[in-house]
Amino acid sequence: MSAKANGLGRWYVIAAPYLWLLIFFLIPFFIVFKLSLSDVATAIPPYTPTFSWSEGIGKFISQLDFENYTFIFGDPLYVNAYLSSVKIAAISTVLTLLVAYPMAYGMARAPKSWQPTLMMLVILPFWTSFLIRIYAWIAILKPEGFLTMFLMKLGIISEPLQIMNTTTAVYIGIVYSYLPFMILPLYASLEKINPALLEAAQDLGSRPWRAFWQITFPLSLPGVFAGCLLVFIPAVGEFVIPDLLGGSDTLMIGKTLWNEFFNNRDWPLASAVAVILLLVLTIPIVLFQRQQQIERESGR
Amino acid sequence: MNKNFSWFNLTSITFGFAFLYIPILLLVIFSFNESKLVTVWAGWSTKWYSALLENQALKDAAWVTIRVGLVSATVSTVLGTLAAITLVRMGRFPGRTLFSGMIFAPLVMPEVIIGLSLLLLFVAMGFDRGFWTITMAHITFTMCYAAVVVQARLQDFDKSVEEAAMDLGATPINTFFQVTLPIIAPSVISAWLLSFTLSLDDLVISSFATGPGATTLPMKIYSQVRLGVTPEINAISTILIGIVTIGLLLAAYVTKRQTERSERERRKAFGAAG
C-alpha cells in the first residue's frame, strides 16, 4: 500500500514498460491491419498506401480495400493451410499431453530431494535453442538417419523409414520442442495435490486407477488447461518445425505467411494472413489470459 | 510421498528424459566425429571446431548475436522488473487489464506475427534495419519472460518488510534498492539469463527485424541447415548448448545459495527473538 503513496514515482515505474509495449507490441498490430488493406507494388517498401488518415473518415471508408481478404478466402490453398495448422496443432497438443502427463506425474511423486534436479532437467532443453533441437531431429529421422539404422540393426524393419519431410515428423518436432511447456504447469498442479486425499480414497477401498480418475486427474485440470494452451497457440503459427521437418504437402499457415513475405514479397497479403491468424487465435489467447489471471490471484 | 513412487513412475520419468536428451546427446557426440557423414561414426576429432574458427562469416554472426543479446537482455531485465512491480505492487490503475494482456500475450503469440508486425512498425517509422531493430525486437518479447520470472518472486516474498522500511522513513526508491532488490536479486539474474538465451536463440523475429548487414548466428545456422546436416553445425550447436547449460547451472547455484542464506538468516532472527 505504501508504495502507492508516492504518486508521481508510481507513474514513472508503470510508464516505462507500458509505453514500450504499447509502441512495440500493440501499435504494430494496427499497422499490420492497415497494410493488409493495401496493394502490393514493386517498390521499396513493396506496397502502395491505399489510403491516408488525413483525408477524412468518408474518404477513408470508401477506400477500404478487402481484396487481400477475399483472395485468401477464395483460394482453397489458404483456407486449407489454416484448417490444417489448427488440426496439426490440436493433434500435437493431445500427443504432448499424453507424453507429458506420466512424466509430470512421476516427477511429482519422486522423492523430494530429486525434484529440483528433475525440474532443472526439464527446464534445460527449454533454454536450449529451438532451432538446434529441431536440427538434432533431422539426423535422427532422415532415411539414412539414426532411427532407421537402429531399427534395422534390431531387425524390426528392412526398409529405411520415410518419416522425414512428412507431417509425422512435424508432430514429433512439436511434441519434442513444446514438451517442457506442458510438463511445467502439469507438474505445478500435480505437486500441490495433498497425498492424504489419495490415502483416504485407498483406505475407503478405492482402486488406484479409480482414485486417479476421480481425485488426481480432476485436481490437475488447471495444469492440463494451461499446458494445452501454451502448446496449442504457438504451434498453430509454427514456422521452423514445418519448414525443416515437414514436407511439401505439410500445409501450415506460419510457413505460408513466411513464404508470402520473404519469397513473394507480398507484404499486404502476408499482413492479411497474419490478421486472420490472429483472429483464429483470439479465443485461445483470451482463455490463456484469464487462466493466468486466476492463477495469479490464487497464488497470493 | 515416497511409497507412492512406483516402477511405473520411474519408467515414465526415464523414458521421458531419454526422449528429451537423446537427440541433444547424439548431436553433441557427432560434433566430435572424424567423418563428414553426420550419422556414421569414424573416430574422435575436434577438426570441426577448428574449422569454425576459420569461418569469418560465422564469427561475425556470433559477434552480432552476442552484442544483441547483451544489450537486449539488460534493457529487457530493467523493463521486465518494472513491469513485474507494476503487476504485483501497484494495485489497480487505469489500463491494468490491457497491461497484463500485453505482458502475457507475447508468451504464446506465434513468432511470425510478432516478427511481421515489428518489421512493419520499423518500416513505418523509417528506421534503418539492422543491429538496433533486432535489439528492439528482442527487448519486446524477452521483457515479457523477464516480467513473469521476477513477478513469481515478488509474489512470494513478504511485503511487510518493504512496509517496515518505509515506516522507518525510507523513500520508495531507497526501499527498492536496499530492501526489494536484494531479495528479488536471484530472480532478476535468472530473468537476465533467460532473456539473453532467448535472444541468442531467436530466428524468426530476427529474420523479420533485420536488414542488410546484420546476420545473427541462428539466421546463419538456419540458412546452412536448409542445405543439409553438416558436422560444423553440430559443432557450433554444441558450443551454444554448452554456454546455455553453464549459464543455467550458474543461475541455479546462485538461487540455491541465496535461499539457503535467507533461510539461515530467518532462523537466526527467530532464534534471537525466541
Side-chain angles (χ1 to χ4, degrees):
Chain A
M1 286 296 131
S2 34
K4 280 200 277 180
N6 192 302
L8 198 62
R10 176 174 179 235
W11 287 110
Y12 283 132
V13 171
I14 298 176
Y18 209 119
L19 284 179
W20 185 282
L21 287 172
L22 274 184
I23 294 171
F24 290 100
F25 186 68
L26 198 64
I27 292 177
F29 288 132
F30 292 103
I31 301 178
V32 172
F33 183 64
K34 182 175 176 244
L35 188 61
S36 73
L37 301 172
S38 60
D39 286 322
V40 66
T42 38
I44 296 170
Y47 55 86
T48 57
T50 0
F51 57 83
S52 65
W53 304 99
S54 54
E55 291 167 49
I57 194 81
K59 179 94 173 161
F60 162 65
I61 290 172
S62 71
Q63 280 183 342
L64 284 184
D65 177 4
F66 291 98
E67 199 186 331
N68 291 314
Y69 291 95
T70 47
F71 178 73
I72 290 173
F73 284 111
D75 190 333
L77 184 74
Y78 294 94
V79 178
N80 287 341
Y82 283 110
L83 293 177
S84 108
S85 303
V86 171
K87 191 182 127 199
I88 290 175
I91 294 176
S92 323
T93 305
V94 173
L95 292 175
T96 313
L97 180 63
L98 291 177
V99 176
Y101 205 101
M103 268 184 90
Y105 188 81
M107 281 170 64
R109 292 303 176 81
K112 274 275 175 276
S113 55
W114 296 14
Q115 293 197 4
T117 314
L118 293 175
M119 274 288 276
M120 187 75 172
L121 285 171
V122 173
I123 295 172
L124 186 60
F126 163 67
W127 285 50
T128 313
S129 168
F130 201 77
L131 181 61
I132 291 174
R133 284 185 293 146
I134 296 304
Y135 167 74
W137 277 95
I138 298 179
I140 297 176
L141 296 179
K142 62 181 190 170
E144 69 279 19
F146 293 119
L147 189 63
T148 293
M149 292 200 308
F150 180 69
L151 293 177
M152 273 183 160
K153 211 162 246 173
L154 290 182
I156 297 174
I157 54 166
S158 51
E159 291 282 300
L161 288 170
Q162 298 297 333
I163 298 180
M164 191 59 199
N165 298 330
T166 65
T167 309
T168 313
V170 175
Y171 289 139
I172 296 174
I174 297 180
V175 172
Y176 182 71
S177 20
Y178 287 94
L179 196 59
F181 290 95
M182 186 69 93
I183 295 177
L184 294 176
L186 278 178
Y187 168 78
S189 63
L190 283 168
E191 198 242 2
K192 270 190 283 193
I193 297 173
N194 187 349
L197 286 174
L198 289 173
E199 279 163 27
Q202 264 164 17
D203 290 347
L204 294 170
S206 175
R207 294 195 164 270
W209 189 241
R210 212 182 118 153
F212 172 78
W213 281 111
Q214 294 199 328
I215 297 169
T216 312
F217 188 71
L219 286 173
S220 70
L221 277 178
V224 172
F225 192 64
C228 285
L229 288 172
L230 275 172
V231 175
F232 177 78
I233 304 170
V236 173
E238 185 53 54
F239 162 73
V240 177
I241 298 172
D243 188 59
L244 292 180
L245 299 181
S248 49
D249 58 334
T250 313
L251 273 179
M252 282 196 84
I253 200 68
K255 205 176 145 186
T256 310
L257 194 158
W258 180 282
N259 287 338
E260 285 305 338
F261 186 86
F262 286 105
N263 303 345
N264 301 344
R265 292 189 61 78
D266 192 338
W267 293 17
L269 190 63
S271 302
V273 170
V275 170
I276 299 175
L277 175 57
L278 204 56
L279 289 177
V280 171
L281 293 178
T282 303
I283 295 171
I285 289 176
V286 168
L287 284 175
F288 174 73
Q289 302 274 14
R290 286 193 35 197
Q291 207 267 342
Q292 289 296 311
Q293 198 133 11
I294 294 166
E295 195 85 335
R296 233 185 11 255
E297 248 106 77
S298 70
R300 277 181 199 172
Chain B
M1 271 277 153
N2 283 7
K3 67 176 173 188
N4 290 325
F5 190 64
S6 62
W7 280 107
F8 173 75
N9 297 147
L10 191 64
T11 317
S12 52
I13 292 183
T14 312
F15 273 99
F17 282 116
F19 176 62
L20 276 176
Y21 281 93
I22 285 175
I24 298 176
L25 281 179
L26 285 173
L27 181 139
V28 170
I29 293 168
F30 277 82
S31 74
F32 295 102
N33 192 4
E34 175 73 37
S35 158
K36 193 155 180 65
L37 291 167
V38 190
T39 49
V40 183
W41 185 255
W44 291 95
S45 157
T46 52
K47 67 178 178 189
W48 306 113
Y49 289 88
S50 22
L52 286 182
L53 289 176
E54 281 151 31
N55 190 335
Q56 190 57 42
L58 212 57
K59 277 194 285 186
D60 290 344
W63 180 228
V64 171
T65 313
I66 291 168
R67 271 165 42 221
V68 168
L70 290 175
V71 177
S72 66
T74 307
V75 179
S76 119
T77 306
V78 173
L79 287 173
T81 307
L82 292 175
I85 293 170
T86 304
L87 283 173
V88 181
R89 289 282 189 270
M90 292 302 180
R92 306 232 159 261
F93 59 90
R96 189 182 195 282
T97 314
L98 176 66
F99 184 71
S100 81
M102 290 194 298
I103 292 288
F104 289 103
L107 304 181
V108 287
M109 188 71 70
E111 288 177 300
V112 284
I113 297 184
I114 300 182
L116 177 69
S117 64
L118 279 165
L119 168 84
L120 296 182
L121 175 82
F122 295 143
V123 171
M125 287 170 125
F127 283 171
D128 274 339
R129 279 175 286 137
F131 175 81
W132 285 106
T133 47
I134 300 178
T135 307
M136 283 188 278
H138 284 194
I139 293 169
T140 308
F141 82 96
T142 56
M143 73 173 272
C144 302
Y145 285 90
V148 171
V149 171
V150 177
Q151 179 211 256
R153 181 78 186 111
L154 266 177
Q155 253 166 12
D156 271 358
F157 92 81
D158 193 353
K159 219 163 79 174
S160 57
V161 194
E162 283 175 350
E163 282 161 359
M166 279 193 272
D167 287 346
L168 293 171
T171 63
I173 292 175
N174 273 334
T175 310
F176 177 75
F177 281 105
Q178 296 187 359
V179 179
T180 316
L181 194 59
I183 297 177
I184 62 171
S187 71
V188 173
I189 295 169
S190 304
W192 191 91
L193 287 167
L194 182 59
S195 302
F196 184 73
T197 53
L198 286 169
S199 163
L200 211 66
D201 290 347
D202 175 69
L203 165 72
V204 174
I205 294 172
S206 310
S207 301
F208 278 99
T210 190
T215 307
T216 65
L217 205 50
M219 286 159 68
K220 199 87 202 153
I221 294 175
Y222 172 71
S223 62
Q224 286 190 18
V225 167
R226 296 203 60 159
L227 304 175
V229 180
T230 70
E232 269 154 321
I233 307 177
N234 283 32
I236 186 88
S237 305
T238 304
I239 293 174
L240 285 173
I241 292 169
I243 292 172
V244 169
T245 311
I246 292 168
L248 190 64
L249 290 177
L250 220 64
Y253 178 72
V254 169
T255 318
K256 194 165 168 243
R257 271 198 43 189
Q258 183 84 15
T259 16
E260 276 169 6
R261 200 167 59 201
S262 62
E263 188 64 24
R264 254 203 320 274
E265 275 164 11
R266 217 174 53 152
R267 238 178 280 144
K268 229 191 294 179
F270 277 113

